[in-house]
């Protein structure tokens, strides 16, 4: 159907741009930043590594000025975990906190609303080498230490937070296995991937809880990667197959918005012999602290 009449956007509609730290900042080991899983990944031949990127770290003032010139009203960016905690834990790196404080203040100077993604495919390498991937429950505690630090420092100037970027991709999509540190050659691959996703659900809910407790104005959301799935033919078998594939996408928003695992995913787990470990209190945490909004990437 063609829209023959243009509908005017409200004045408070947020037109903006989005980046991730590891893709634009560069300065990957500068001013105390430690290595993440992104700094050691193999990139295709002829592809730039993450050492310089767009050098946003050194040119953010010029970049924000260009955003303002374009008329952008919001800027979604992520915080590099290892710029705050070089080893993912341990002592905080004050230079990293100062960078993001400066970045946000530069946005506010131009009336640009900052939207902060807490975790965007950047697991600290030290934690990976020491504890493995997100299927290890210890990562919830490490993540929450990171959350508390940045929220305590930035909650007075940030109104919108995202707990994870494309949480479905981070755990169970081949293109982003490195984000959860679950790799295709792992034993019990599906088991590990969905256990990692469960730990991120719990971590996301705990982040929602903490931010709401420490800010009476902030909204907390989740970014979901979603792809449209069409049946190959009109044959009922193809239609059912397409529906099952779509449910794998819906799962990640259903849990974070509705606060529980939907029935269809339990059926999928049973069919694939996936047994997710819930610790006491997990169901209550997920149910009690759903996100305030969801955003989608296609």
């Amino acid at each position: 159907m063609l829209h023959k009449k243009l509908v005017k956007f409200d004045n408070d509609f947020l037109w903006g741009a989005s980046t991730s730290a590891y893709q634009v900042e560069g300065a990957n080991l500068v001013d105390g930043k430690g290595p993440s899983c992104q700094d050691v990944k193999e990139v295709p031949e002829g592809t730039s590594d993450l050492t310089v990127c767009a050098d946003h770290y050194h040119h953010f003032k010029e970049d924000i000025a260009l955003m303002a010139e374009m008329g952008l009203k919001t800027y979604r960016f992520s915080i590099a975990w290892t710029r705050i905690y070089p080893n993912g834990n341990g002592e905080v790196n004050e230079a990293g906190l100062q960078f993001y404080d400066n970045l946000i203040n530069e946005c506010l100077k131009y009336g640009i609303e900052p939207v902060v993604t807490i975790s965007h495919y950047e697991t600290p390498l030290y934690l990976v080498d020491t504890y493995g991937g997100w299927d290890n429950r210890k990562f919830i505690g490490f993540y929450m230490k990171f959350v508390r630090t940045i929220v305590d420092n930035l909650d007075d100037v940030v109104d919108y937070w995202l707990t994870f970027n494309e949480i479905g991709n981070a755990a169970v999509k081949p293109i982003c296995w490195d984000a959860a540190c679950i790799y295709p050659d792992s034993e019990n691959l599906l088991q590990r991937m969905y256990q990692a996703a469960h730990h991120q659900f719990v971590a996301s809910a705990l982040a929602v809880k903490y931010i709401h407790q420490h800010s009476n104005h902030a909204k907390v959301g989740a970014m979901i990667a979603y792809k449209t799935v069409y049946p190959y033919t009109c044959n009922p078998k193809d239609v059912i197959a397409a529906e099952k594939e779509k449910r794998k996408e819906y799962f990640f928003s259903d849990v974070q918005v509705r606060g529980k695992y939907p029935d269809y995913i339990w059926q999928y787990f049973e069919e694939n012999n996936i047994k997710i470990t819930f610790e006491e209190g997990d169901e209550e945490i997920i149910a009690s602290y759903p996100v305030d909004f969801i955003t989608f990437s296609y």
Side-chain angles (χ1 to χ4, degrees):
M1 185 178 84
L2 295 177
H3 293 279
K4 297 183 179 180
K5 181 179 178 182
L6 294 178
V7 178
K8 186 177 183 298
F9 284 94
D10 293 337
N11 291 331
D12 59 355
F13 187 86
L14 296 177
W15 292 97
S18 174
T19 66
S20 67
Y22 76 91
Q23 291 173 319
V24 298
E25 284 182 5
N28 65 328
L29 298 177
V30 169
D31 290 340
K33 181 183 179 296
S36 78
C37 63
Q38 297 293 349
D39 294 308
V40 297
K41 67 189 294 185
E42 292 186 15
V43 297
E45 186 176 352
T47 301
S48 174
D49 63 19
L50 305 175
T51 306
V52 179
C53 300
D55 205 14
H56 188 52
Y57 185 81
H58 293 114
H59 296 280
F60 69 91
K61 289 186 178 182
E62 301 154 65
D63 296 339
I64 300 302
L66 286 171
M67 293 180 193
E69 184 179 338
M70 293 169 63
L72 301 188
K73 299 173 69 174
T74 186
Y75 176 35
R76 179 174 85 93
F77 59 90
S78 68
I79 294 182
W81 189 339
T82 55
R83 205 175 287 286
I84 307 303
Y85 285 105
N87 290 329
N89 198 13
E91 297 298 319
V92 69
N93 177 32
E94 295 294 341
L97 285 174
Q98 188 62 56
F99 167 70
Y100 292 107
D101 186 61
N102 294 341
L103 174 62
I104 290 170
N105 285 330
E106 198 69 17
C107 288
L108 297 177
K109 183 174 82 173
Y110 289 98
I112 294 173
E113 183 79 52
V115 178
V116 177
T117 306
I118 296 171
S119 179
H120 192 132
Y121 299 172
E122 285 194 279
T123 309
L125 187 61
Y126 176 81
L127 297 183
V128 176
D129 289 342
T130 308
Y131 301 101
W134 264 94
D135 58 325
N136 186 332
R137 193 177 178 91
K138 288 182 180 292
F139 276 80
I140 298 175
F142 298 138
Y143 172 84
M144 284 308 301
K145 180 177 180 178
F146 172 47
V147 168
R148 289 190 293 268
T149 298
I150 61 174
V151 170
D152 290 351
N153 280 272
L154 303 175
D155 71 323
D156 59 329
V157 287
V158 176
D159 289 333
Y160 299 99
W161 301 85
L162 296 172
T163 57
F164 288 92
N165 177 73
E166 297 177 350
I167 189 170
N169 281 355
V172 299
K173 298 287 182 63
I175 60 171
C176 300
W177 270 323
D178 55 340
C181 304
I182 311 296
Y183 300 104
D185 57 354
S186 301
E187 293 185 14
N188 302 317
L189 179 59
L190 280 177
Q191 174 70 39
R192 291 192 65 198
M193 289 193 302
Y194 279 99
Q195 189 65 57
H198 175 72
H199 290 157
Q200 290 187 349
F201 287 144
V202 175
S204 178
L206 289 173
V208 172
K209 177 183 179 182
Y210 190 82
I211 294 170
H212 282 171
Q213 287 177 337
H214 289 76
S215 174
N216 58 10
H217 59 84
K219 300 293 185 183
V220 191
M223 165 62 76
I224 307 294
Y226 180 79
K227 68 176 184 291
T228 302
V229 180
Y230 298 100
Y232 184 65
T233 71
C234 293
N235 186 303
K237 290 183 178 180
D238 289 338
V239 173
I240 292 172
E243 185 61 30
K244 286 185 176 181
E245 190 64 26
K246 284 191 287 186
R247 285 175 175 179
K248 294 179 186 177
E249 308 282 334
Y250 299 155
F251 165 56
F252 293 94
S253 53
D254 276 351
V255 173
Q256 292 185 282
V257 173
R258 303 178 189 277
K260 66 177 183 178
Y261 278 56
D263 290 341
Y264 60 76
I265 203 67
W266 291 116
Q267 181 181 351
Y268 174 77
F269 289 166
E270 183 177 355
E271 291 171 353
N272 291 276
N273 195 31
I274 299 170
K275 296 179 174 60
I276 302 302
T277 299
F278 277 66
E279 289 202 359
E280 184 176 356
D282 283 1
E283 286 186 81
E284 182 180 356
I285 290 168
I286 293 172
S288 300
Y289 304 104
V291 294
D292 301 312
F293 64 93
I294 55 173
T295 59
F296 290 97
S297 63
Y298 289 88

